[in-house]
Amino acid sequence: MTPYRISIVGTGYVGLCTAVGFASKGYNVLTSTHDPKKASLINKGTPPFHEPHLEEMLQKAVKNGYLRCMLDHEEAILNTDITFIAVGTPSKPNGSIDLRYIEGSACEIGGALKKKETSHLVVVKSTVVPGTTKNVVKPAIEKHSGKRCSIDFGLCMNPEFLREGSALQDTLHPDRIIIGEYDKKSGDVLEALYREFYEGDMPPLIRTNLPTAEFIKYANNAFLAMKVSFINSVANLCQKTPEADVKAVAQAIGLDKRIGSLFLNAGLGWGGSCWPKDLNALLSYSKDLDIDLPLVDATLKVNHNQPHIALSLARSLIGELKGKRIAVLGLSFKPNTDDVREAVSIKIINKLLNEGAEVVTHDPQAIDNAKAVLGNRVQYERNVRNCLKDADCCIIVTEWDEYRALRPQDFRSYMKNPAIVDGRRIYDPKAFKSVKFAAVGLGTTDS
Ligand code: UGA
C-alpha cells in the first residue's frame, strides 16, 4: 500500500511536530505557512522555536526530502491525500475563541479542493470549541470547493495532546488517539493512516463524532489545569500550617490510583499557550449555553492569585522588596521550551518591578522571547552565577535541570546574603538549612 501523502496547514508546535513525526517514518509531508521567514527556516532544517530533538529530526527530514514547507497551501493540498489543519486558535479580548485562522484555512482548502479530482480527507487538529468542525470548517470548504462533505471529501476532528518540551515523544508515543468523524468513511481513512504509522504499536483508539472529539480536548486540558490549581490551593494551606509539606501530601494522594501522581507538582501557577486560552474559551462557550462552570472558574481564579505567593515568600525572608536586587531563575512557562506565553515569570517580574525591586533574570532558552515582552526593564544574564551575583533574594520560577543542580554553597558563594524562594519545590529543605529558605507549600514553625 502506498503511504498517504500528508499536508499540514500551520507550522506551530502542533503542525511542525506532527509533520516531523510523520516524516520520521518516511511519509512525504508538505507543511504550509504564509510566513516566508518561517518557511525559509524550516526548509533549512532550523525550527522556529526551541523543542528538544526537533532540530536533529527536522534536519534529517528535510535532508532526506520527506518534509518541505511551502508558502502556498493550494500546492501542498493538491499534491497530498490528507490535510491536517493545525493553525492557532487564540483568544478574543473577551476570552472567547478566535476562529479566524481556522476559517481562513478552511476557505483556502476549499479553494484547492475545487481543482482536485481525487478524494481528500481534511482533519482538524487545532483545539476548537464544540461545533466548529461541523458548523464552520465544513461549510467553508463546501462553499469554496463547490463539493459536498462525505461524498467528495472526508472530514475528521483529531485533537492533539502533545506537551511543549516533550512534543516529539508525545507525537510518537501518545496515550491514545481520538478520531471524531463526520462519517464512517472519513474515520476509516484516518484510522488506516494511524494504524500504518504506528504499525504494531497502535495506541488505544477512540472513534466518536465531531463535537465529542472537540469536547475531549477541552475536558482534558481543563481537568489537568484543575488538578494543578487544586494542589496549589493545598500548597497555600500547607504553607500556613507549621511543619506541613505539600510535597508529601501530593506524593501520598498520587499513590491513590483514582487520583494518580502526575500533574500534582505545586508551584507558582501554570501558564503556556494552551491552558489559559482553552479554559477561557470553554467558559465563554458555557456562558453562551447559559451553563455555569464553577470548577473551571475556580481553576482560573486560583491560578490568577498563585504568582503572588512568590512575593509573599520573598518578603518573609528579606522584608520589604523595594530597592532589593531579586534574581529570577527561569523565564519560560515550563522547562525545556523557550516559550514565555502566559508565563508566570512575567507576572511575578511585573509585580516585583511594581514594588520597586531591581530584577535580574536568567533562563537557558527563553531570554530572547522574554526580552520581546519585558524589554530593558530587567537585566538578563546568560550565566546563572552572574544572575545570582550580589542578589538579595533568588526566586526559582521554572524548574530547569540546571537549577536543580545548584547546591546551598553555590548560593552562598554567589549571592550577597543568600535567601532562596523555591517556587517549584526542586530542593530538599533539609539540605538548605544553612541559608534563608522558603518554599511553596512548606509550612515552617514561624510562618
Ligand atoms: C498542555 C497539555 O498538557 C497537553 O496535553 C496539550 O496538548 C497542550 O496543553 C495543548 O493544549 O496544546 P503544555 O501547555 O505544553 O501542554 O504544558 P503542560 O506540561 O501541560 O504544563 C502546563 C502548565 O502547568 C505549565 O506552566 C507547567 O509548569 C504547569 N504544571 C504542570 C504545574 O505547575 N504542575 C504540574 O504538576 C504540571
Side-chain angles (χ1 to χ4, degrees), residues 160-164 217 221 224 228 263-265 269-271 274-275 278 333-334 424:
E160 178 55 62
F161 301 97
L162 62 79
R163 292 159 297 171
E164 291 184 26
K217 176 62 190 264
N221 270 355
L224 289 173
V228 178
F263 280 63
L264 278 182
N265 295 317
W270 43 264
C274 304
W275 288 3
D278 290 352
F333 83 96
K334 62 187 260 188
R424 294 289 170 187

Side-chain angles (χ1 to χ4, degrees), residues 16-160:
L16 192 55
C17 293
T18 305
V20 167
F22 278 119
S24 73
K25 296 216 182 169
Y27 287 84
N28 282 309
V29 185
L30 297 175
T31 60
S32 55
T33 171
H34 289 317
D35 181 343
K37 214 169 127 198
K38 250 185 162 182
S40 143
L41 277 174
I42 292 168
N43 286 327
K44 284 186 200 133
T46 308
F49 47 82
H50 172 78
E51 179 62 35
H53 311 297
L54 183 58
E55 183 150 13
E56 68 231 42
M57 285 179 72
L58 177 61
Q59 286 196 349
K60 201 165 154 198
V62 171
K63 193 167 146 236
N64 294 341
Y66 290 132
L67 190 151
R68 242 177 335 133
C69 187
M70 327 193 80
L71 285 170
D72 184 2
H73 293 330
E74 184 176 295
E75 200 186 331
I77 292 154
L78 289 177
N79 286 294
T80 53
D81 313 298
I82 301 179
T83 299
F84 287 91
I85 301 180
V87 295
T89 48
S91 300
K92 287 184 183 167
N94 68 358
S96 66
I97 191 167
D98 182 343
L99 290 172
R100 86 177 88 156
Y101 303 114
I102 291 284
E103 250 185 300
S105 41
C107 295
E108 288 190 73
I109 291 168
L113 292 187
K114 192 178 185 142
K115 301 184 184 163
K116 197 166 184 249
E117 278 160 17
T118 50
S119 70
H120 201 89
L121 175 68
V122 179
V123 183
V124 176
K125 240 193 192 307
S126 308
T127 303
V128 290
V129 288
T132 304
T133 305
K134 192 169 172 193
N135 303 326
V136 176
V137 175
K138 175 180 161 280
I141 299 176
E142 285 183 328
K143 180 173 167 204
H144 289 267
S145 64
K147 296 186 172 178
R148 282 157 309 162
C149 188
S150 162
I151 296 165
D152 307 308
F153 68 93
L155 185 62
C156 285
M157 199 282 151
N158 171 219
E160 178 55 62

